[in-house]
Amino acid sequence: MMGLGSENKTVSTSSKFALQQLGEGKEEEELARTTTDRAEATRLANVEQQAAEPRETWGRRLEFVLATIGYAVGLGNVWRFPYLCYRSGGGAFLIPYMIMLFLCGIPLLFMEFTVGQYTRLGPVHALAQICPLFKGVGLATVVISYVLCTYYNVLMTWALYYLLHSFSPSLPWQSCNNTWNTVANCSTGFPGNATHLQSASQQFFDHKVLEMTSGIERAGGVRWELFGLLVLAWGIVYFCIFKGVKSTGKVVYFTATFPYFILFALLVNNVQLPGAKNGILFFLMPNWSKLLEVQVWVNAAAQIFNSIGISFGSMISMASYNKYNNNILRDTFIVSLANSATSIVAGFVIFSAIGYMAHIHNLPVDDIATDGPGLVFVVYPEVFSTMPVSQLWAPLFFIMLLCLGLDSQFAMVEVAVTFIMDGFGRKALKVFKRKELIVLAVCSFGFLLGIPHITRGGIYVFQLMDHYTAVVSLMFLAFFEVLAVTLIFGVKRLSVMVENMLGKKPNLFFRICWQYLSPMLVLGILISSIVQYTPARYGKSYTYPLWAELLGWFISLVSIIWIPLGALHELWTTEGSLLQRLKKSITPTVDLESVSEKPSTESIALFNAP
């Protein structure tokens, strides 16, 4: 009995201990579950808070000005404007150029700044608010900017490649005694009219940098050196913008100002070189008869439009981070005039160097002058190889190119990030947890889309993309944006937006430009682009196969298609007559916490008026 009783007592004690352990286990499990739930709740609360936070703003007005100048002043100012000026009448071209600047460039930049700053939204949601029927225009601008940034960063990759090779004991594009040279047709200078010869710098670009194939149909595999540099280029972009305008605003203090120091240093150096005067005179010598050609005026308008960056969505996006009462009229003039002044100074720098090369090789300036990537990656490297202290000027020049390109790249990538945060911010943050990871995803996808450009046949892909994105698509987008804002939304409503922010209406000059002159000019450029359309080419001889041309048109449609799709969606989902739906607009939302003077009752009534 004693044994049985002791055994029963032991079992009972063990049971109590087991139950106690089980209870403690349940308590620990419950505590762990509670802790997990609290952590998840905290994370979701942080996501909600981050998504609901007021829109971030530039730290200082100067940051916005530098960022927009950096975006407007890009590689096109260095390689496009000087050549266009020389081909279109020299100094005489400055007359239509300045007229188009004041009748088209400045008014439309002011318009985009107004839309962005008033609505405090990126281009997609801003245009959807002021003109729902053309909400697809905003999405189209985001698509074209993102497509452009995927191959624009390839230029940064090439610049990095040249920069690294600039530190060699001797510049590698200086001679024909390298493994990549075809000695039989290599010339240490410019070949002039000898079409069977290539300069050493041309062979370095074709055979060493690109290792280019005979056509787009021969991809030839990835150039792994360029692959690594493309990763580096996207890495630089990411770490400059991953914190939004707070980080970008600090970076532009360097990237937007440093190119001017190099540009003026090159100008001072170049004008002292023999033959520089002839190059500058060739650049500026007016040919007044050119003013009678319609194409010269169209070229001037197109250059203003492309250089300032109208219809890429970037100016709307960057202005959306302004404080509500920022003086965008003053900023418009600063950005526009700085952009044009830089183009003219770059013309002096480029043609003084080309005049020097013509003097050295005893060739006409016309045989050396060119535009596009060939100017900065073939002609100018050849110039450095004969300059005094070439090992100094070459690295500085390619650092300048990097800064010019990176500023533009920042703005184009930011358009895509702004679109995601404006439209899907809360959902995106629940998936990616932090905005920095959203930016990383945008940059990573852009990197993947850039890989075809760094194959051995990538230069042909690059040229095809550039032709059908920057030439064909852009003018369609520009026309429909101007149509939506100035004609359908209306100049009267646009003027009220300006008055609410700046305290006074835009003057008569801007109202006339918005109502009549700018739409007519944009329509004229569009019609001219259609009438004078030419298929894409690479160099003087390579023509693309039919399938590549069709691919180019598909690339154009990737952005343009959103305009009719957006209009059809709006017509399908809203009621009323066609005229009523055309005139329909939504009162643009305003972050009232950032507004010192709230919109008046009269202005809200005006927005809602048909």
Side-chain angles (χ1 to χ4, degrees):
M1 296 288 297
M2 185 69 180
L4 182 59
S6 300
E7 186 178 355
N8 288 341
K9 187 176 179 181
T10 305
V11 171
S12 177
T13 304
S14 299
S15 300
K16 288 179 180 179
F17 179 75
L19 289 172
Q20 184 180 356
Q21 290 292 98
L22 181 61
E24 289 179 1
K26 288 183 177 179
E27 287 178 5
E28 290 178 1
E29 185 180 345
E30 186 66 29
L31 180 61
R33 188 184 298 113
T34 302
T35 304
T36 304
D37 291 343
R38 285 177 180 172
E40 180 65 14
T42 302
R43 186 188 70 79
L44 291 174
N46 290 336
V47 167
E48 296 288 334
Q49 181 181 357
Q50 188 172 354
E53 283 178 357
R55 193 176 191 83
E56 58 183 335
T57 57
W58 298 98
R60 299 174 61 189
R61 186 185 68 86
L62 180 61
E63 294 176 6
F64 168 69
V65 173
L66 289 177
T68 46
I69 288 176
Y71 169 66
V73 178
L75 296 174
N77 297 72
V78 176
W79 75 32
R80 171 87 177 139
F81 173 82
Y83 183 81
L84 189 65
C85 185
Y86 134 70
R87 284 292 188 194
S88 303
F93 177 73
L94 296 178
I95 294 175
Y97 178 80
M98 296 306 293
I99 290 174
M100 293 301 172
L101 171 65
F102 282 94
L103 296 185
C104 190
I106 292 176
L108 293 182
L109 180 60
F110 188 31
M111 177 196 79
E112 289 205 342
F113 279 172
T114 299
V115 170
Q117 182 168 299
Y118 189 89
T119 62
R120 308 209 74 201
L121 293 168
V124 176
H125 297 85
L127 291 173
Q129 284 205 1
I130 66 175
C131 185
L133 187 66
F134 283 97
K135 59 187 178 184
V137 175
L139 186 55
T141 63
V142 172
V143 172
I144 195 174
S145 285
Y146 193 66
V147 170
L148 183 59
C149 82
T150 62
Y151 70 85
Y152 197 84
N153 225 22
V154 175
L155 295 171
M156 301 302 97
T157 302
W158 296 342
L160 283 169
Y161 191 92
Y162 273 85
L163 175 62
L164 295 177
H165 282 76
S166 297
F167 297 107
S168 303
S170 62
L171 297 178
W173 52 82
Q174 203 166 5
S175 71
C176 292
N177 300 321
N178 303 288
T179 56
W180 59 81
N181 290 123
T182 305
V183 179
N185 66 340
C186 182
S187 168
T188 53
F190 287 97
N193 291 326
T195 55
H196 66 287
L197 295 178
Q198 281 187 316
S199 66
S201 59
Q202 182 71 61
Q203 290 200 357
F204 177 79
F205 185 61
D206 290 347
H207 304 324
K208 176 62 175 173
V209 180
L210 304 178
E211 293 185 11
M212 62 185 291
T213 60
S214 58
I216 194 172
E217 59 275 7
R218 297 177 181 271
V222 174
R223 284 276 291 114
W224 292 108
E225 288 177 288
L226 296 182
F227 182 91
L229 291 175
L230 185 62
V231 173
L232 177 60
W234 274 108
I236 294 171
V237 171
Y238 171 73
F239 285 109
C240 289
I241 69 170
F242 77 114
K243 288 289 186 182
V245 296
K246 297 299 182 185
S247 58
T248 307
K250 302 300 181 290
V251 173
V252 293
Y253 282 111
F254 174 77
T255 56
T257 56
F258 181 75
Y260 286 97
F261 290 104
I262 304 303
L263 208 56
F264 281 107
L266 284 169
L267 179 63
V268 171
N269 178 75
N270 290 4
V271 294
Q272 303 177 62
L273 297 173
K277 180 181 177 182
N278 294 334
I280 293 173
L281 289 176
F282 193 80
F283 167 57
L284 289 178
M285 187 64 68
N287 181 356
W288 301 110
S289 63
K290 287 282 188 179
L291 295 180
L292 301 177
E293 297 179 14
V294 175
Q295 188 56 40
V296 169
W297 292 81
V298 171
N299 287 343
Q303 175 61 20
I304 287 292
F305 220 86
N306 286 280
S307 180
I308 294 177
I310 305 296
S311 298
F312 283 105
S314 296
M315 291 302 190
I316 294 177
S317 179
M318 288 190 287
S320 72
Y321 296 106
N322 276 336
K323 294 179 180 178
Y324 182 77
N325 299 109
N326 180 59
N327 190 344
I328 46 175
L329 178 59
R330 172 188 55 199
D331 295 345
T332 298
F333 279 103
I334 292 174
V335 173
S336 302
L337 296 178
N339 174 64
S340 296
T342 305
S343 296
I344 294 170
V345 172
F348 280 94
V349 171
I350 296 299
F351 272 87
S352 58
I354 288 176
Y356 164 67
M357 290 304 295
H359 173 81
I360 291 293
H361 297 290
N362 197 26
L363 290 170
V365 175
D366 194 32
D367 285 355
I368 299 176
T370 185
D371 68 339
L375 178 61
V376 294
F377 294 115
V378 176
V379 175
Y380 229 80
E382 183 73 26
V383 172
F384 288 131
S385 65
T386 60
M387 270 188 183
V389 203
S390 60
Q391 301 285 37
L392 170 66
W393 292 116
L396 289 177
F397 177 76
F398 291 114
I399 292 172
M400 181 190 76
L401 287 186
L402 280 171
C403 291
L404 289 173
L406 284 172
D407 284 332
S408 300
Q409 187 74 356
F410 296 162
M412 289 185 288
V413 176
E414 185 60 42
V415 172
V417 175
T418 300
F419 163 62
I420 293 172
M421 294 305 297
D422 285 349
F424 312 99
R426 191 164 298 178
K427 294 179 181 178
L429 286 170
K430 286 181 179 179
V431 175
F432 290 96
K433 311 298 189 293
R434 300 175 62 86
K435 182 182 176 182
E436 290 87 341
L437 295 179
I438 295 175
V439 178
L440 180 62
V442 171
C443 290
S444 299
F445 191 60
F447 161 74
L448 293 176
L449 293 178
I451 291 176
H453 302 285
I454 55 167
T455 61
R456 288 172 175 81
I459 185 65
Y460 302 102
V461 182
F462 176 91
Q463 186 67 25
L464 187 73
M465 293 279 287
D466 187 55
H467 181 80
Y468 283 98
T469 301
V471 178
V472 177
S473 301
L474 181 62
M475 296 320 303
F476 278 95
L477 268 59
F479 171 73
F480 283 106
E481 180 184 310
V482 173
L483 176 68
V485 178
T486 64
L487 298 181
I488 297 179
F489 180 68
V491 172
K492 193 172 183 179
R493 290 170 170 174
L494 193 62
S495 300
V496 171
M497 292 166 70
V498 174
E499 184 179 14
N500 279 326
M501 291 186 292
L502 304 185
K504 58 182 179 180
K505 290 184 177 179
N507 59 36
L508 182 62
F509 166 75
F510 282 107
R511 297 201 300 273
I512 291 176
C513 287
W514 287 338
Q515 189 75 59
Y516 304 107
L517 299 180
S518 296
M520 290 171 57
L521 287 170
V522 175
L523 180 60
I525 299 171
L526 175 61
I527 293 173
S528 175
S529 301
I530 296 171
V531 171
Q532 298 186 353
Y533 165 77
T534 54
R537 287 177 173 269
Y538 180 73
K540 296 180 180 179
S541 58
Y542 180 78
T543 56
Y544 285 85
L546 178 61
W547 67 265
E549 288 289 337
L550 295 175
L551 177 62
W553 279 108
F554 174 76
I555 293 168
S556 292
L557 289 175
V558 165
S559 59
I560 297 173
I561 193 64
W562 296 105
I563 300 175
L565 287 180
L568 289 173
H569 179 266
E570 184 65 24
L571 292 173
W572 181 263
T573 56
T574 56
E575 298 178 354
S577 66
L578 178 61
L579 183 60
Q580 288 173 329
R581 284 177 283 184
L582 273 173
K583 285 294 185 180
K584 176 188 172 185
S585 66
I586 304 169
T587 305
T589 57
V590 181
D591 183 1
L592 295 178
E593 292 183 8
S594 65
V595 182
S596 59
E597 296 182 10
K598 297 180 181 180
S600 64
T601 306
E602 291 80 3
S603 69
I604 293 176
L606 179 59
F607 280 118
N608 289 329

